[in-house]
Amino acid sequence: MTLRITWYDDGSEGAVLRELLDRFEAENPDIKVVVDTVPYSSGILETLPLQLEAGEGPDMARVTQLGIIAKYMLDLRPY
């Protein structure tokens, strides 16, 4: 299984995320996590909503303005 995350960096948190994901993948060898690092403005604010509207968005994304994508979010409480 592959999990895709759209991510933007403000500093070094992307490297920290990758280290955590490497450990996660080592403990869960059947899961591969792909991180697509994009610019915040063009990648998150502009492109992500278009991808979601087309049904081609990532499994997860780092976002700050939930109103833009709220209608595409999955309620995880039942899981």
Side-chain angles (χ1 to χ4, degrees):
M1 166 200 268
T2 299
L3 175 69
R4 185 167 295 280
I5 301 173
T6 296
W7 181 269
Y8 68 92
D9 281 330
D10 280 339
S12 62
E13 67 271 35
V16 173
L17 174 68
R18 186 69 258 172
E19 290 175 21
L20 294 171
L21 292 174
D22 288 345
R23 292 193 324 221
F24 173 83
E25 289 175 337
E27 294 172 8
N28 300 276
D30 56 326
I31 302 173
K32 170 80 174 138
V33 183
V34 176
V35 179
D36 297 320
T37 302
V38 299
Y40 178 76
S41 180
S42 62
I44 300 297
L45 296 180
E46 297 172 14
T47 304
L48 181 60
L50 297 174
Q51 291 173 331
L52 295 171
E53 182 70 30
E56 299 176 1
D59 300 301
M60 297 175 66
R62 179 182 182 196
V63 297
T64 58
Q65 297 182 19
L66 299 180
I68 295 172
I69 62 164
K71 64 182 177 182
Y72 305 107
M73 295 170 64
L74 174 64
D75 182 356
L76 296 175
R77 287 177 289 193
Y79 304 101

